[in-house]
Amino acid sequence: MILRKEETFYREKMKELQLTRLKKTIEGVYETVPFYKHRFNEAGLELSQLSHLEQIQQLPFTTKQDLRDNYPFGMFAVDQSEIIRIHASSGTSGKPTVVGYTKSDIYVWSELVARAIMMAGAKKGEVLHNAYGYGLFTGGLGLHYGSEMLGMATVPVSGGNTDKQIQLIQDFKPSVICGTPSYTLHIAEKMEKQGISPFENSLRVGILGAEPWSEKMRSVLEEKLGIKACDIYGLSEVMGPGVAMECHEGQNGLHVAEDHFYVEVIDPITLQQVEDGQEGELVFTSLTKEAFPVIRYRTGDIASLSREKCVCGRTTTRMSRIKGRIDDMIIVRGVNVYPSEIEHQLLYSKEVVPHYQLYVNTTGTMDRVSLHVELTEKVYKEASFSVQHATVRKISTDITRRLKNHLMVSMDVTVCAPNTIPRSEGKAVRVIDQRVLNSYT
Ligand code: DLL
């Protein structure tokens, strides 16, 4: 295993490096991005007085709305002629957020993704099947450049055309598969249907992320594909995939690339930093980016931090798996719950497949949540192809009870016939908020 020296720095040494880079970044954006100059002046900041990393808390936050207000290139810190790549994240409403990269940004990003792939246990000379979408989304090209930099034979299949993907996996014999957990599951299920056993395929590592997933989903994917599945995190506003990565030795939290990003967790209400181990909203400050530096960017993602040394030997701060996004949290009769927690409980039931959707509706003043799950083909057959069968009613009652006992939430569970819940080729849509839909009708 090859580790970069920055991955094993003592905390003080890492902080020293971060402070030097932070100073350079904030002095740079003050000069080059009118938005930051205005914000820093408004906050009455004396940038030359920054002498401790902890003083970062005096800097104002940046939000997605700020990026939208400066659409498309208002937050770029270099001349247009320095930009060699543009990505954008679609978002569900309004304008997309647009991000740019210089040549050096692409180099650093590729290096970090190469580091992430190694962390998952892959190496030069192996074949990597990249099923993340290519295009404006950072997943496809992000993994692609990192994989090439590492010296892997990179197969740029992108998302979709699942039968073809399976054919290529059979023929090219990749050791690594990259994709969203939900789409990778779809590939795994199709392989199963075609009678390809997990022991027959060449895969041994999964680099999965871009959407929240649960520990139980990890076991399902590991079992179905015969792989070690590692979580990869990132977001276009901060860079793309590779901001943090789980190591295959520990599979217990994601190592943040702290030499390039300063991470904080804040209480989304008080906006104050919380203690290590406590959950809150992740906030990132980029330390080396040229084209699109971000200062205290509020991600909307919920996680906690740990500074304990990992079994792999890395000393970098680890973030927990993402529990969910603030805007995906559902409040069911006063109880806060994230789709990934529901997923975790649901997957204990062997009679249903791991695809699900949550419909949120309002009756009177109460929000009602209905969980739609899908039967396995085997159980459906045993229930005489009817979702009204007594067996199916029992499955529904058991899932309802489990959710009530473990998450303290009561929700209606609708058990559907096989293949009725839409499969995604990228990020899965887990929550269908009919409160929003209804308000437009
Ligand atoms: O999803 C970048 C990425 C590509 C990460 C491939 C990993 C693999 P965006 O499209 O900008 O970028 O979406 C970023 O996706 O704020 C999280 O809400 C979510 N997300 C990303 N990785 C994870 C993960 C890419 N491992 C948004 N677990 C982020 C949970 C994740 N959620």
Side-chain angles (χ1 to χ4, degrees), residues 132 137-139 210-212 231-232 234-236 301 322 325 427:
Y132 283 116
F137 173 53
T138 52
E211 65 184 8
D231 197 359
I232 184 164
L235 61 168
S236 30
D301 294 325
I322 302 281
R325 290 191 53 77
K427 298 182 191 235

Side-chain angles (χ1 to χ4, degrees), residues 110 113-114 117 128 142-154 156:
S110 309
V113 173
I117 299 171
L128 180 142
L143 262 297
H144 187 104
Y145 273 58
S147 170
E148 283 191 349
M149 183 176 273
L150 183 57
M152 299 189 75
T154 312

Side-chain angles (χ1 to χ4, degrees), residues 199-229:
F199 306 104
E200 270 174 63
N201 79 51
S202 55
L203 297 169
R204 65 179 184 84
V205 172
I207 300 181
L208 315 179
E211 65 184 8
W213 53 311
S214 62
E215 217 29 63
K216 199 76 183 132
M217 179 69 100
R218 189 209 299 269
S219 330
V220 170
L221 285 165
E222 291 193 332
E223 197 180 310
K224 283 191 189 295
L225 285 172
I227 55 170
K228 207 157 212 207

Side-chain angles (χ1 to χ4, degrees), residues 64 88-90 97 109 132 136-140 143 179-181 207-213 231-242 244 254 297 299-302 319 321-325 427:
K64 204 172 187 84
S89 74
S90 55
T97 41
W109 184 15
Y132 283 116
L136 287 175
F137 173 53
T138 52
L143 262 297
T180 59
I207 300 181
L208 315 179
E211 65 184 8
W213 53 311
D231 197 359
I232 184 164
Y233 171 81
L235 61 168
S236 30
E237 297 89 326
V238 175
M239 180 178 79
L254 295 84
Y297 182 70
T299 62
D301 294 325
I302 302 293
M319 51 179 251
R321 124 191 327 287
I322 302 281
K323 192 168 177 182
R325 290 191 53 77
K427 298 182 191 235

